[in-house]
Structure formats: C-alpha cells, structure tokens
Amino acid sequence: NQFHGRAFENFHNSGLNANSWSNNAMGQRRAKSIYNDFGGSVGGPVWKDKLFFYGTYSMLKIPGGFTTSNNYLTPAAQAGNFTYTGTDGNLHTANVLNIAHSYSSILPGTVNSVVATQLKAINTSLTSGTTSTKSDKNINSISWYNSNSQTTYFPFVRVDYNATEKLRMSLSWAMTYNLQPGANAAPFPGSAFNDMMAGYKTKNYTSSYAVDWSASPRLINQFKFGFLYDVQAFAYNAKPLYATEPSVNWALGASGQSFQLPTTSYYPAFNLTDTVTFQKGSHALKAGITGYHEQDHYWNPPSGFPTYNLGLASGDPAVNAFTASASGTLPYASS
C-alpha cells in the first residue's frame, strides 16, 4: 500500500578497466568494450488492499561494429585493361574491349552503360574506406568499419488483484526487444549502398495470467496460463531492391548489386497448468494438469527475381576473340 521506485545506471567502459597480465606481457591493448545499461522501476497501490501495480523499464546500449572488406576492379581494369602474368613469367596487359570489338563489330568496344553506372557508385564509395592492392593486378581491396550498435529494451509490467481474502489474481507482461541494424554490412561503404545493409532484430515477450484460490486452509488451487511471443527477423531494414533490380555477379571483383534477402521466424507458444494441493497434517497431496502448444512459422527469403552471372560462357561469340599463343590476342596467357 505504499509507492516504491528506483532508478539505475550501469556504465561500463574498458577505459576504466585494468589490462590483463598476458596482454601487458605481449604489449597488447585491452579489448574495447563500452555499454550503458539504465532504467527504473515503480510500484504501488491503485486501490488500497485490492489492486496493485509494478512496472520496470530498462535499456541496454552497446556501441560497436566490425571491419569488413570487398574487392573492386582497378581503374585500369574498369577501362578494359586486363593484366596478367604470362607463361613466360612476364607481366602483360591487353585491352579486352578492343580485342573483342576488333574481332567482330557486333561485340561492344566500350563498357556497358549499366555496368558503368555501378562502377561509378563503387568508385564514389572508395573514399569511405581504406584501399589496398592485391596480388591480382586487376582488383584492389577496400576495407571499412561497419557500425553495428546494439540496443535492447526490457519493459515489464504486473498487476495484482485481491478479489477476496481467498481469491487472488495477477497479470504480467515482460518483453525483450533487441535491435542490431548493422548486423550484415552492405557490399560497399558510403551512402550509395546504405540501403543494402541488413539488420537483425528479435522481439520476445511473455504474458501470464494466474489465479490462486484458497478454498480452505488445507485446500489451494493454482491456475496459470501463459503465452510466449517469439519473432526473429533478418534484413528487416534492407530496401527490397530485388523487387525492381536483378542481382549481378561479376567474373572479377564485386558488382555491388547483391541484395540481402529477408527471413522471418515466428514461434508462438501457449502453456496452461492447474494444480490442486491438499494438506493433511504432515502430508501433502497434489494433482493437476498441464498443457503446452507451440506452432512454428518460418518465412523463407523471396525468390523468382533474376540473377545475372557475367563472364564468358560456352557459345559466347567473344570466346574465339581471345587466343593464348605467343602471337595471339592474349600472348602467353594460361588457360
């Protein structure tokens, strides 16, 4: 019959922690860790001696992320210049666009306009990461930090009602809601690819109704009914580009046009118990029933949209344009 409450803040920062002995011995810094866990609670009467409430709310925020990388065509390769180490041990460069077009005028001698648009978007993203060369002279690598902050919410509420001295009821609801918007990075950094980032979220809550009936000082009946709501969703925040655009795979490097596909699962569960307890002296007799029901739902990712794999295929008229002999269009090229 009195109001009570509290507020709390649990602040964690690796800057406040000592390093481990082994890390110090190897000259390594302590692992970075930052999070805030804060909230509060309040409870009290709604109707004196009869109806009471209690509620809490807390939230956990963990900033963080991870480093990821991808390959992209070098500026020379984007212009059609293919560089390779020949069987003679020397580096060779040949413009495959010129070779193909010289072989047959029906074959293009310039970069496809759709591909050029994608290349432009990738090139724009390179300022948002760190680039490096690779052993393959036709591709470079870009690495960048992908932010993946984590926020979890924990609301809870309960109501208790004393109908009579012998009949008491309660109703409660508790939820855990977790959001990780950057769980899977986009193919490239920068604003042009932000809508390809795939987040992960879970929402789980339990609700429970209970009735305790003291029929007599020796006979008590306890009834409980519960419901569990359990949903997991992947790529909930990724734009459904697959609805209007194809997914494209390049033979060299990454196209940047690969989409994260959403999947969802939902596993609701119900349970019911009823227990009768009879006390006779030092002996207790219990009897009751219990039941449980779960129905699993799983939604596969969408399908039916086109996926294009670019490159030379059997029957392509450009195949015969490239020859690997010493005097061929790709001299000293291996298979």
Side-chain angles (χ1 to χ4, degrees):
N1 287 320
Q2 293 181 338
F3 288 99
H4 297 274
R6 68 166 182 157
F8 69 89
E9 156 71 9
N10 179 20
F11 174 72
H12 179 97
N13 190 302
S14 52
L16 304 175
N17 300 341
N19 203 358
S20 67
W21 183 92
S22 58
N23 279 359
N24 283 331
M26 294 184 291
Q28 295 180 351
R29 299 179 59 183
R30 54 184 171 265
K32 186 176 182 180
S33 177
I34 304 173
Y35 69 78
N36 280 294
D37 183 8
F38 54 92
S41 64
V42 63
V46 178
W47 180 10
K48 187 178 180 180
D49 296 330
K50 285 286 187 179
L51 184 63
F52 311 91
F53 80 95
Y54 178 77
T56 72
Y57 180 82
S58 61
M59 192 163 82
L60 175 66
K61 293 187 71 68
I62 305 177
F66 53 89
T67 300
T68 186
S69 63
N70 204 352
N71 295 329
Y72 67 95
L73 292 174
T74 64
Q78 292 181 30
N81 296 305
F82 176 64
T83 301
Y84 60 98
T85 300
T87 55
D88 59 353
N90 297 321
L91 275 180
H92 298 267
T93 299
N95 190 288
V96 294
L97 292 170
N98 293 341
I99 293 173
H101 191 64
S102 297
Y103 174 78
S104 173
S105 59
I106 67 170
L107 297 174
T110 58
V111 176
N112 178 279
S113 61
V114 177
V115 174
T117 300
Q118 193 66 54
L119 287 171
K120 182 179 179 181
I122 293 173
N123 292 337
T124 303
S125 75
L126 300 181
T127 58
S128 301
T130 303
T131 60
S132 59
T133 59
K134 298 178 71 70
S135 57
D136 188 331
K137 301 299 181 181
N138 302 288
I139 57 176
N140 287 342
S141 175
I142 177 171
S143 59
W144 70 97
Y145 181 79
N146 179 75
S147 178
N148 182 34
S149 61
Q150 180 178 336
T151 306
T152 309
Y153 305 90
F154 304 97
F156 170 81
V157 64
R158 173 174 170 142
V159 176
D160 289 270
Y161 177 57
N162 298 334
T164 67
E165 286 294 321
K166 295 183 177 182
L167 185 64
R168 304 172 186 270
M169 290 176 264
S170 67
L171 179 66
S172 64
W173 176 86
M175 183 174 76
T176 300
Y177 184 32
N178 178 265
L179 288 173
Q180 299 181 51
N184 278 62
F188 288 97
S191 58
F193 300 94
N194 281 346
D195 53 5
M196 298 184 190
M197 188 179 295
Y200 177 71
K201 70 177 178 180
T202 60
K203 180 183 285 188
N204 315 99
Y205 70 76
T206 58
S207 54
S208 166
Y209 174 69
V211 179
D212 290 345
W213 177 42
S214 302
S216 72
R218 296 180 178 181
L219 183 64
I220 300 174
N221 186 85
Q222 294 176 298
F223 170 83
K224 293 181 180 180
F225 176 78
F227 171 64
L228 168 65
Y229 176 90
D230 180 13
V231 168
Q232 302 181 40
F234 172 73
Y236 71 93
N237 55 344
K239 186 177 180 181
L241 297 172
Y242 49 83
T244 56
E245 301 178 28
S247 180
V248 180
N249 299 316
W250 291 354
L252 285 175
S255 73
Q257 200 161 323
S258 57
F259 313 126
Q260 306 281 0
L261 304 179
T263 59
T264 307
S265 62
Y266 172 46
Y267 302 147
F270 301 86
N271 75 291
L272 180 148
T273 61
D274 190 82
T275 305
V276 177
T277 304
F278 179 71
Q279 188 79 26
K280 180 67 174 177
S282 59
H283 302 282
L285 175 67
K286 286 191 176 185
I289 60 170
T290 182
Y292 178 87
H293 174 76
E294 178 179 307
Q295 187 176 32
D296 297 344
H297 307 267
Y298 183 82
W299 288 270
N300 288 310
S303 60
F305 51 87
T307 299
Y308 297 136
N309 298 310
L310 302 187
L312 293 180
S314 177
D316 192 324
V319 170
N320 296 328
F322 303 103
T323 55
S325 63
S327 59
T329 54
L330 291 177
Y332 301 104
S334 65
S335 57

